[in-house]
Amino acid sequence: MRPSPLASFSASKPTEEEYAEVYGLAVLSRESLLAVACLDTVQQWDVATVRQTAHTRVQAHETGVTFGGVHRNPTGMAYVFSLASRGRVLAATLSDGTCRLFDAQTCQE
């Protein structure tokens, strides 16, 4: 017998120009909250209701690097590569060479 999933949701919607991928997940302080890193966003999802409860979009740091070079990343977008959480702190590593701290409840930097 196969176990059925607790919830299934889409953190991103592919566009014609690029496919959005989920690069990081972190369980937040309450069991039903999940942080998701997708492209240039940090999102918070309530697994029990399968709803996004908060999100923020990150910008590349002015002294950061352009991951992939200008030919692969002409807009210089910063991608969120991974997430880790502890209490109200959510840490994210980004493709521009920075590590940023977010409030795990609001997703604000």
Side-chain angles (χ1 to χ4, degrees), residues 11-85:
S12 64
K13 294 184 175 113
T15 65
E16 289 181 18
E17 297 84 34
E18 70 181 318
Y19 286 90
E21 298 175 355
V22 173
Y23 282 109
L25 296 171
V27 176
L28 299 177
S29 57
R30 290 192 350 228
E31 286 184 25
S32 66
L33 291 181
L34 183 67
V36 178
C38 180
L39 288 178
D40 62 343
T41 65
V42 175
Q43 306 169 15
Q44 181 191 84
W45 287 80
D46 186 327
V47 177
T49 62
V50 194
R51 290 179 174 245
Q52 188 181 99
T53 55
H55 77 279
T56 192
R57 190 171 215 158
V58 295
Q59 299 294 321
H61 195 271
E62 63 269 3
T63 61
V65 298
T66 301
F67 178 75
V70 293
H71 298 295
R72 288 187 61 203
N73 188 1
T75 61
M77 191 167 132
Y79 295 90
V80 183
F81 278 158
S82 66
L83 295 173
S85 71

